[in-house]
Structure formats: C-alpha cells, structure tokens
Amino acid sequence: MPSVGVVLGAGGIVGAAYHGGVLTALAEAGFDARHADLLVGTSAGSGVAASLRAGFPPIDLAARNLGRPISAEAAAIVEITGGPPIIDFRPQPFSRAPLPSSPKLLLKSIRHPTKALVGLLPTGTISNAVIGERITALYGDRSWPDEPLWVCAVDLDTGDRVVFGRGDVQAPIGVAIQASSSIPGFFQPVEHGGRRYVDGGVHSPTNADLLADAGCDIVVIVSPMSATRLAHGALLPTARPLHARRLAHEVEQIRRAGTQVLTFQPMPGDVAAMGRNPMDARRRPATTEAALASARTRLADPELAERLALLRAASSS
C-alpha cells in the first residue's frame, strides 16, 4: 500500500476555504485525505487537518463552505463544533506603550527576516481561544488524534519551529491548533508550559520540508499562500512569489528523497477570488468555488495519472 503524506499550509480563513475546495476535488478523484499516513498542518491548515483526523469527510468540505447539504457523518461533527468560529477582530487596547514582542527573537533571527519582523512586532491583543475550544470539543476526552498529525508552531522567544504531535512538545490538540493559528502582532501568543507560541507560518507557510525524510511514496501539498507562475504576473505587490520560491525549495528537498509530490497552489482565478485579506470571511464561498474548479482541472491532467493512481490505491486499501 502506498504511503501518503498530506501538507496543509497557512492562509487564514480564506486559506481554509481554499483547502476545502482542493480536498473535495481530491475526494471526487478518489483520494480521501483522512487516509493519509501523516498529516502536517500549519495555521489554517492545522485546523483543517485536525478536522480530518476527527473524521470530517473531505468530500463535504466544499459543500459546507458553500451552504449546501452535507452527509450525516459530516453533520454529526458540525453539531459538536457549530459553525465556523466567530472571532472578535477588534484589537484590545494596550495596557502600556506597545513594545517588541520578543527582542531576543529579533536579535537571533537576523538571517530569517520574517522571524526578525515578528520579534519586532508588538504582542497581539486579539484572543483566538475559540479556535482551540472548538477543536477541544471536537476531540472530547482524547488529547490527540489516533493517527499521525504534526502541527507546526514557532517558539516566540527562540524562533525555533515546534512540531506538536511529533514529540517536540507535549500539548493537547486544542492548544496546538490555537498556537499554530496565532498570527503574530494580531492574535495573542499561546502560552503553554512556560513558553509562548505563535503561528507556524512564521517559519514556513507550509513546513513541507518536514516530509523530506518521512519515507512517503507520495506527498500532497496544498499551499494557499503561494501562487502558480501564471498567477504571478497578474498580482499586485504581494508575498505570494516569495512563498512560491520557498515552496519550490521544500518540494525539491522531498523529491531528492525519491518521493513523488503533487502540489496545489492558487491560480489566477483563485487569487482573484481570495482577495488580499486572508481573514475576510466573506471570501469563503468564492474561494472554495474557485479552488474546487481549478483543482478539478489540475487533476484531469494526464500527466498526473501516475500520482493519482498512488493516491487512489492508498484510499482503497
């Protein structure tokens, strides 16, 4: 049986909607991401990955985002968690003059501009606790899913990537997902075990390099924050080309190990639907529709036949 790894990247509310479209298209094509041997999630992707490990059928992800009927299996999970979490995005006033959230990180991460910037930003004031609460409710008395799930976050004081579920740090699933989703300078860092954690996207929007030596036959990567080359020319100033270069480097690391890779990045139509604010919930339906259409088109490419056959074999066994 082929071994499959699935990487679900960061991207906020809009990125989660993109995941929904792509994962539904894959399910239609014969691959159920719940059957992945290893799921790696970062930020928005961590929440989607946790939902998959809790049993939410990927075939229902797009329908849920679009307000269409879903299966009884999916409805039972929605009944536990309710609708998408509602976050009060109004910033809370600072109790004192805002200071850099992590001067140590600023000094230690000169060679990693994103981490240096995070150290310079003031500490976020908005709570994203509702995200962790929903995941905790979904898992009930279980502290972690039975099947392998790696959740990526960053230690705010050291700048180190921390992978919950791999053994780096022990934490309940709700805490891990909340930490992975804590956008620096926006959401409050998540404190656990005397450490402060922020969004895993600070290290990498996908953290796909974690699967370079995982021994998988094929890795599927869904990367909402990058874009295909075709989309780059139509973009206003954005970080998407930078994220695409980072993704290409991570993909090369995986391929050097002899692993096949299937990537999904937003195409021009996806980028237009997603807009420029990843937290704009109004973009959810249009993003899901666009991602579903573009992923269906990509999966119809005869050049993907061998990789798709591996995925189908993994789901059918």
Side-chain angles (χ1 to χ4, degrees):
M1 178 179 70
S3 174
V4 181
V6 173
V7 176
L8 302 179
I13 293 172
V14 174
Y18 181 79
H19 285 309
V22 172
L23 291 170
T24 292
L26 280 165
E28 292 174 345
F31 174 62
D32 186 324
R34 291 177 297 180
H35 298 154
D37 296 274
L38 174 60
L39 283 174
V40 175
T42 300
S43 197
S46 72
V48 176
S51 296
L52 292 173
R53 282 300 192 226
F56 195 95
I59 195 72
D60 289 306
L61 286 169
R64 185 188 180 194
N65 288 341
L66 297 171
R68 297 173 183 169
I70 57 177
S71 68
E73 188 177 12
I77 292 177
V78 172
E79 187 175 353
I80 296 172
T81 62
I86 298 174
I87 299 174
D88 184 353
F89 290 117
R90 292 173 297 179
Q92 301 301 308
F94 290 100
S95 59
R96 54 184 170 82
L99 298 173
S101 61
S102 180
K104 291 182 182 178
L105 181 58
L106 177 61
L107 294 173
K108 292 181 63 175
S109 302
I110 299 301
R111 295 186 180 181
H112 196 303
T114 301
K115 291 183 180 179
L117 176 60
V118 167
L120 183 62
L121 289 172
T123 303
T125 62
I126 299 172
S127 172
N128 70 339
V130 65
I131 294 174
E133 291 166 358
R134 292 291 181 87
I135 297 297
T136 298
L138 181 59
Y139 277 81
D141 58 0
R142 290 189 296 161
S143 64
W144 202 263
D146 298 327
E147 300 298 322
L149 169 62
W150 291 357
V151 175
C152 302
V154 166
D155 187 309
L156 183 56
D157 295 307
T158 67
D160 295 336
R161 174 172 61 187
V162 174
V163 185
F164 296 104
R166 189 179 64 172
D168 296 16
V169 176
Q170 298 298 319
I173 183 68
V175 171
I177 302 303
Q178 184 184 348
S180 182
S181 305
S182 293
I183 302 170
F186 189 67
F187 288 130
Q188 298 168 357
V190 172
E191 298 187 11
H192 175 73
R195 309 299 300 177
R196 298 183 299 162
Y197 299 100
V198 293
D199 198 306
V202 169
H203 182 85
S204 163
T206 57
N207 291 290
D209 61 299
L210 289 171
L211 289 180
D213 57 358
C216 296
D217 294 302
I218 183 169
V219 170
V220 178
I221 304 172
V222 188
S223 175
M225 291 186 68
S226 59
T228 62
R229 289 186 179 180
L230 188 61
H232 290 180
L235 297 176
L236 294 170
T238 175
R240 287 188 184 276
L242 176 64
H243 296 326
R245 288 194 293 271
R246 176 64 182 261
L247 175 62
H249 176 68
E250 294 179 348
V251 168
E252 179 58 28
Q253 288 180 268
I254 298 171
R255 285 179 172 154
R256 279 202 298 265
T259 300
Q260 296 202 53
V261 182
L262 176 58
T263 61
F264 293 88
Q265 302 181 76
M267 299 179 70
D270 301 311
V271 171
M274 296 169 86
R276 298 180 63 81
N277 179 4
M279 303 304 288
D280 187 352
R282 297 171 299 179
R283 296 273 183 172
R284 185 184 289 116
T287 297
T288 297
E289 286 273 25
L292 184 59
S294 64
R296 283 169 172 166
T297 299
R298 178 154 170 67
L299 289 167
D301 186 344
E303 292 188 3
L304 299 184
E306 181 182 350
R307 282 170 280 180
L308 194 52
L310 283 173
L311 295 175
R312 286 170 175 157
S315 277
S316 63
S317 55

